[in-house]
Amino acid sequence: MEKIKMTTPLVELDGDEMTRIIWQQIKDTLLTPYIDLNTEYYDLGLPERERTGDQITVDAARAIQKYGVGVKCATITPNAQRVEEYKLSQMWKSPNGTLRAILDGTVFRAPIMVRGISPVVKNWKKPITIARHAYGDVYKNTEFKPAGPGKAELVFTDPSGKETRQTIFDFSGPGVVQGMYNTDASITSFAHSCFKFALSTHQDLWFATKDTISKQYDHRFKDIFQALYDTEYKTAFEQAGITYFYTLIDDAVARVIRSEGGYIWACKNYDGDVMSDMVSTAFGSLAMMTSVLVSPDGKYEYEAAHGTVTRHYYRHLKGEVTSTNPMATLFAWTGALAKRGELDGNAALTAFAQKLERAAIDTIESGVMTGDLAGLWEGERPAEKVTTQGFLDAIAGRLDA
Ligand code: NAP
Ligand code: MG
C-alpha cells in the first residue's frame, strides 16, 4: 500500500521519560508504516532544554505559529529535585507555560470515551470538554494578612498620577486581603478561542461565572463573551446549528451533572482548575484525557493531559516492560494529523487519523487494554491486560484488517 503524503510539516515536540518512549513506539508502530511522516522536529526533552538554554521551547512555539499545528509529548516541569537529577544550570520554566505565553491560547480538555468503561455520572453519554482560561485571577494575586485593625483600600493610579480609591474593609482585628486582575485583551483572546473551537468541533458552548455577586469583575467576562458572540460569531453558530449560552456557575454545575455531555464548558481560571479535575476523574482515567491548546488566531497544539508517568519510567529503566496507557498520546497525534489534513485539504490524512482512533477505541472495546483501564473494565469478558507495545500492536492489527 502506498503511504499517505503530507504537504505541510507538522510541528513535533518530543518530551521526557515514559511518554518519550511511548512517543517513539507510536511512531514506529502506527504512524510511519502508513504515512510519509513530514514533521519539523523539536526536542523538548529536558537535556535539550538545558543545552539550548530553553531556546528550543521558544523555537517550537514559533514553528507552531508558522505552520499552524503542533503535537507535543509530555515534558518534565523542573523542580528542585529535577535540578539535582538532571544537573540543570537553572530551574527552567514549564514548557507548557512558555508555549501558552507565546501562542496566547486556551486549553481544551476532553475525555476519550469507550464502551465498557462508564463515567461515574451515569447519564453522561458524550464527552464534556472543559475550556480553562489559563491567565490571571487568583493565580496572579497579591495577598496580605493584616495583623490587627486597619483600613484596606483598592487604589488605582492612572498614568497621569490620578488616584481612584475604594475601601475594601475596615478591619477591627486580624484578617486577610487579596487583590487580583485580568485584562480585556486576555478575556477577549479566551472568548475567541472558545468560539473558534466550538465551531471547529461542532459543539455547543456554555460559559458561566458568578456575575450576580461579582458585578464588575465577572460581569466583564460575560459582557466580552456576549459582545463578541453578537458581532462576530452569531451567524456562523446559527449556520452550524450550535448554540452559545451564558448562565451562572452554580446553575452550570447542576446542568452539567444532569446533562448527557457533548458540549464545551468554558470556565474562568479557578473554576477550570477545579472543574477539570472533577470532570476528568468522573470520566474515569487521566490516561484517557486529551488536551489541545487553541490560540485566538486559530493555531493548534495537541497533547495528552497527563505527565511523563515518572513512576513507570523508573520501572522501565530497571528493565521492566510496562503497561502504560498510550491512548492520550496517540490521540494527540491523531488530533494533530486530522487538523493538518483539514487545513491542507488532505482528506486521506484526516481519514487515516479517524480510522486510527476508531481502531484504538475498538481495541479497548474488544477487551484488550493497559493495566490502568483493566481495573475499570465492566465488559462481559474479563479484560486482557497487555503491555504498551502489545496494545499498540493490537491496534495495528485492527488497522490492517
Ligand atoms: P503523571 O505523569 O500524569 O502520572 C501520575 C500517575 O498517574 C502515574 O504514576 C500513573 O499512576 C498515572 N498515569 C498517568 N498517565 C498514565 C498513563 N498514560 N498510563 C497509565 N497510568 C498513568 O503525573 P506526575 O507523576 O505528577 O508527573 C510526572 C512528570 O510529568 C513531572 O515531572 C511533571 O512536571 C510532568 N507533567 C507534565 C505535564 C505536561 O507536559 N503536560 C503535565 C503534568 C505533569 P500509577 O503510578 O499509579 O500507575
Ligand atoms: Mg488542578
Side-chain angles (χ1 to χ4, degrees), residues 205-258:
L205 176 66
W206 300 13
F207 181 45
T209 71
K210 193 71 181 175
D211 66 289
T212 46
I213 298 299
S214 175
K215 288 183 169 42
Q216 301 211 29
Y217 199 108
D218 279 17
H219 216 287
R220 188 77 196 126
F221 282 76
K222 175 184 177 180
D223 288 346
I224 287 175
F225 266 71
Q226 194 61 48
L228 216 54
Y229 178 70
D230 291 341
T231 54
E232 294 189 37
Y233 292 99
K234 195 164 189 278
T235 313
F237 266 56
E238 282 168 1
Q239 276 165 4
I242 58 173
T243 56
Y244 164 66
F245 91 95
Y246 174 86
T247 187
L248 276 175
I249 186 74
D250 20 7
D251 179 48
V253 170
R255 281 172 189 255
V256 163
I257 299 297
R258 286 196 308 264

Side-chain angles (χ1 to χ4, degrees), residues 134-358:
Y135 178 84
D137 298 352
V138 72
Y139 300 84
K140 291 281 179 196
N141 67 4
T142 306
E143 300 184 317
F144 182 67
K145 264 196 320 193
K151 183 161 76 163
E153 290 177 292
L154 199 58
V155 183
F156 177 79
T157 315
D158 79 9
S160 73
K162 184 169 159 277
E163 282 185 1
T164 314
R165 244 169 224 279
Q166 279 173 275
T167 301
I168 298 171
F169 193 63
D170 264 315
F171 285 92
S172 55
V176 281
V177 196
Q178 178 183 73
M180 61 182 191
Y181 68 91
N182 224 299
T183 67
D184 282 7
S186 177
I187 301 165
T188 304
S189 290
F190 173 48
H192 274 299
S193 297
C194 291
F195 289 126
K196 286 209 165 80
F197 195 69
L199 284 169
S200 110
T201 58
H202 217 91
Q203 299 182 89
D204 290 346
L205 176 66
W206 300 13
F207 181 45
T209 71
K210 193 71 181 175
D211 66 289
T212 46
I213 298 299
S214 175
K215 288 183 169 42
Q216 301 211 29
Y217 199 108
D218 279 17
H219 216 287
R220 188 77 196 126
F221 282 76
K222 175 184 177 180
D223 288 346
I224 287 175
F225 266 71
Q226 194 61 48
L228 216 54
Y229 178 70
D230 291 341
T231 54
E232 294 189 37
Y233 292 99
K234 195 164 189 278
T235 313
F237 266 56
E238 282 168 1
Q239 276 165 4
I242 58 173
T243 56
Y244 164 66
F245 91 95
Y246 174 86
T247 187
L248 276 175
I249 186 74
D250 20 7
D251 179 48
V253 170
R255 281 172 189 255
V256 163
I257 299 297
R258 286 196 308 264
S259 78
E260 62 167 43
Y263 50 85
I264 299 161
W265 181 13
C267 293
K268 284 179 64 205
N269 208 352
Y270 175 82
D271 297 339
D273 184 351
V274 177
M275 293 304 163
S276 71
D277 280 4
M278 187 196 73
V279 169
S280 65
T281 307
F283 268 106
S285 166
L286 188 56
M288 297 287 275
M289 192 57 66
T290 64
S291 180
V292 54
L293 174 71
V294 183
S295 74
D297 56 347
K299 314 288 188 217
Y300 293 77
E301 184 245 308
Y302 292 82
E303 63 178 315
H306 61 77
T308 60
V309 211
T310 311
R311 280 205 292 269
H312 293 215
Y313 181 60
Y314 291 158
R315 299 212 303 264
H316 163 85
L317 289 180
K318 284 190 198 138
E320 187 183 321
V321 181
T322 69
S323 178
T324 315
N325 190 341
M327 281 292 278
T329 304
L330 176 61
F331 273 59
W333 274 101
T334 52
L337 289 168
K339 179 55 78 178
R340 192 67 272 165
E342 181 193 318
L343 295 177
D344 296 346
N346 187 344
L349 188 62
T350 303
F352 172 78
Q354 287 162 351
K355 267 186 218 147
L356 182 48
E357 290 186 356
R358 194 63 252 169

Side-chain angles (χ1 to χ4, degrees), residues 9-27:
L10 174 63
V11 184
E12 175 184 355
L13 285 62
D14 208 344
D16 291 297
E17 299 194 313
M18 204 61 221
T19 39
R20 187 182 180 95
I21 310 283
I22 293 175
W23 194 256
Q24 195 60 46
Q25 289 176 306
I26 289 174
K27 284 171 70 178

